[in-house]
Amino acid sequence: MGKSQDLYKKAKTIIPGGTQLLSKRPEMYGVDNWPSYYSKAKGCKVWDLDDKKYRDFSYMGIGANVLGYADKDVNKAVKKAVDTSNMCTLNAPQEVELAEKLCEIHPWAEMVRYTKSGGESATIAIRIARASTKKDIVLFCGYHGWHDWYLASNLGDDKNLEGHLLPGLSPLGVPKGLKGTSFPFAYNDKKSFDDLIEKHDGKIATVIMEPLRNTYPDAGFLEHIREVTKKKNIVLIFDEISAGFRLCLGGSHLMLNVEPDIALFGKALSNGYPMATVIGRSSVMEAAQDSFISSTYWTDKIGLVAALETIKKYKENKVEKILDKNGTMIQNGWKKLARKNNLNISIMGIKPLSYFSFNYENDKEIKTLFIQEMLKNGFLSTTGYYASFAHKDDDINDYLKSVNRVFKLIEKAIKDSNVKELLESEVCHGGFKRLT
């Protein structure tokens, strides 16, 4: 126990849920030993409140810091924006510059709106799609944030969102009148999609989905959805908040060769500074003028200049190739070390967003032990790895050496049936749970 753990105890008494983001809750990792708070971060290195240093081989700012923490070039652009005033009664000219850049990268898109988070972007896109079509129903696949339109799906069936990243999401507080306005379909399952199209024909405003997250689409799956939505005059939204800018410069749909009507970006767009976008065809985006969509801090300069500099660095350094290389090294390392230590694991995800799971009944206990022991080796680590430009080969090799040591310990613990006895913390949470 240290300063971080003590501070988190206080946080839970004055901040409902302990943190602002579920993915940053210590309970997701191990509440009694996870560092919880940082004093500074640089590259892939993080210092906690007790000045202990770790290398981050977990989620790198929950996917936001693709270039690494405190990137000097992005920070330089941001500091200039601060010195010339981040906010003003007038608009920042970078609004136009970034819009032009995003449309240049995505030639199918013609108009752009800005927000500060992915969830906001998704909600704005849904509003625009409904305004454009004058219809209400949303079909979705994947995770799209915390807003009412999404959680409303669980008003009809509290299991609707189970297969879309986060189980246990409660619609408490969502107006019951929204029941029957959003419905899920399964990824790579044409039938579940077609059944919903047939059932709600003529009432569907939009289909929103992640074109790619943990697995690539089956041949013809995205093309089928594009064909049907075009035929039915349904707005197709691609949520690129997780995958965007990791596989190529821009959205993953560019390499998948399927064009949506709207695409959403966040996280990787601006390397840790709040910035998100909605880009789309003018025929759909013009509907934003008929619905009130407006917020003061969507106009700040910091996010704009951070995004412009981040895109510039992606292009100059061919960052997507580094992410692919790093992710390949990690996935190959997990596979080799699991085999060496007789562990049964499954490896999933695209190379820049890699995951593995322990295939045992007490998998959460084993995961908690893995996190605990990797901390002792100086790594913020879990069963997910988000690749970063800041992860150098030496860092990856050191990480894999530590994984080998911890896998060896886990192999023995499983053999001796004493995994739980080795834990120094509560078993980590999975999905959404109310804190006590």
Side-chain angles (χ1 to χ4, degrees):
M1 297 293 286
K3 292 178 182 177
S4 290
Q5 288 80 9
D6 288 339
L7 186 60
Y8 185 60
K9 283 183 179 180
K10 180 188 289 186
K12 288 198 287 186
T13 69
I14 55 179
I15 297 174
T19 65
Q20 312 307 311
L21 181 66
L22 177 62
S23 301
K24 286 192 177 186
R25 276 190 190 175
E27 283 83 0
M28 305 299 283
Y29 310 95
V31 67
D32 293 329
N33 49 23
W34 187 254
S36 305
Y37 299 94
Y38 74 101
S39 59
K40 62 179 178 179
K42 180 69 178 176
C44 68
K45 297 179 176 66
V46 178
W47 287 259
D48 71 10
L49 301 187
D50 293 300
D51 208 33
K52 290 181 182 177
K53 184 173 74 173
Y54 305 89
R55 278 179 280 186
D56 193 344
F57 269 71
S58 59
Y59 298 127
M60 288 301 295
I62 319 301
N65 294 87
V66 174
L67 296 175
Y69 297 123
D71 179 84
K72 64 181 179 65
D73 297 312
V74 178
N75 279 4
K76 182 179 178 182
V78 167
K79 288 172 183 175
K80 183 178 178 182
V82 171
D83 288 340
T84 55
S85 189
N86 176 51
M87 182 56 64
C88 180
T89 300
L90 305 183
N91 298 295
Q94 289 86 357
E95 284 191 8
V96 181
E97 184 182 355
L98 180 58
E100 288 180 327
K101 178 64 66 178
L102 290 168
C103 291
E104 176 188 320
I105 293 169
H106 305 88
W108 60 268
E110 298 154 322
M111 304 188 88
V112 180
R113 286 296 302 259
Y114 302 120
T115 73
K116 289 296 148 197
S117 72
E120 283 184 327
S121 287
T123 300
I124 286 175
I126 296 299
R127 172 80 69 81
I128 291 172
R130 283 171 165 165
S132 176
T133 61
K134 309 296 190 297
K135 297 172 184 175
D136 295 334
I137 289 179
V138 177
L139 307 186
F140 68 87
C141 178
Y143 173 74
H144 305 291
W146 64 273
H147 293 78
D148 284 2
W149 75 265
Y150 183 66
L151 292 185
S153 182
N154 270 3
L155 288 170
D157 182 342
D158 63 7
K159 302 295 184 186
N160 268 351
L161 300 176
E162 294 292 285
H164 299 265
L165 186 65
L166 286 174
L169 296 180
S170 170
L172 192 65
V174 176
K176 291 179 175 58
L178 291 179
K179 181 178 178 180
T181 59
S182 59
F183 301 93
F185 63 95
Y187 193 74
N188 278 335
D189 186 344
K190 288 183 184 178
K191 186 178 185 306
S192 70
F193 171 74
D194 288 342
D195 286 349
L196 287 172
I197 290 289
E198 182 178 351
K199 183 176 181 180
H200 303 288
D201 193 23
K203 301 176 184 177
I204 302 167
T206 183
V207 171
I208 180 170
M209 64 179 298
E210 295 176 292
L212 174 150
R213 188 184 181 96
N214 293 335
T215 187
Y216 283 87
D218 291 343
F221 175 64
L222 292 181
E223 289 82 358
H224 176 70
I225 289 176
R226 176 67 283 189
E227 181 183 352
V228 171
T229 52
K230 190 173 287 186
K231 180 181 177 182
K232 300 282 187 179
N233 292 316
I234 297 167
V235 175
L236 177 59
I237 303 170
F238 278 168
D239 182 338
E240 293 275 11
I241 291 158
S242 291
F245 288 95
R246 299 182 197 275
L247 293 170
C248 62
L249 184 70
S252 65
H253 66 271
L254 294 175
M255 58 177 293
L256 297 170
N257 294 314
V258 179
E259 295 177 351
D261 299 306
I262 290 177
L264 317 177
F265 296 92
K267 288 191 186 289
L269 179 65
S270 50
N271 206 57
Y273 290 98
M275 187 68 206
T277 67
V278 180
I279 72 173
R281 303 179 191 277
S282 58
S283 58
V284 176
M285 294 290 287
E286 282 283 4
Q289 295 202 67
D290 302 318
S291 181
F292 184 59
I293 302 171
S294 183
S295 186
T296 299
Y297 280 107
W298 292 345
T299 70
D300 89 313
K301 196 196 295 184
I302 284 176
L304 299 166
V305 300
L308 285 164
E309 186 61 34
T310 298
I311 291 171
K312 179 183 175 186
K313 289 203 71 169
Y314 284 162
K315 189 173 184 179
E316 290 176 349
N317 294 281
K318 294 182 170 56
V319 169
E320 73 277 5
K321 293 186 177 180
I322 303 298
L323 302 184
D324 181 76
K325 175 184 74 71
N326 290 354
T328 300
M329 289 176 69
I330 293 294
Q331 289 197 11
N332 288 344
W334 285 343
K335 182 185 292 186
K336 177 183 175 182
L337 296 174
R339 191 183 306 120
K340 177 182 176 182
N341 293 286
N342 302 304
L343 292 180
N344 183 4
I345 71 171
S346 294
I347 296 170
M348 304 148 286
I350 57 175
K351 298 297 171 58
L353 301 173
S354 298
Y355 305 87
F356 75 92
S357 61
F358 292 104
N359 299 325
Y360 300 89
E361 286 187 9
N362 60 338
D363 60 307
K364 284 192 174 59
E365 292 177 358
I366 298 172
K367 177 181 175 180
T368 307
L369 182 59
F370 176 77
I371 293 169
Q372 170 186 298
E373 296 303 312
M374 288 298 289
L375 283 171
K376 293 176 182 177
N377 281 267
F379 289 94
L380 298 178
S381 183
T382 181
T383 51
Y385 165 74
Y386 283 14
S388 173
F389 186 62
H391 291 141
K392 307 306 178 188
D393 286 357
D394 286 348
D395 297 310
I396 294 172
N397 290 330
D398 288 346
Y399 165 79
L400 291 174
K401 287 176 185 176
S402 293
V403 170
N404 183 42
R405 289 193 290 270
V406 176
F407 274 10
K408 188 174 296 184
L409 181 150
I410 290 172
E411 178 193 15
K412 185 176 187 303
I414 291 172
K415 185 178 179 181
D416 296 343
S417 300
N418 70 339
V419 171
K420 195 165 187 178
E421 285 74 15
L422 294 176
L423 298 183
E424 300 164 7
S425 174
E426 299 173 19
V427 175
C428 65
H429 288 187
F432 178 78
K433 289 185 180 180
R434 191 182 194 279
L435 296 185
T436 56

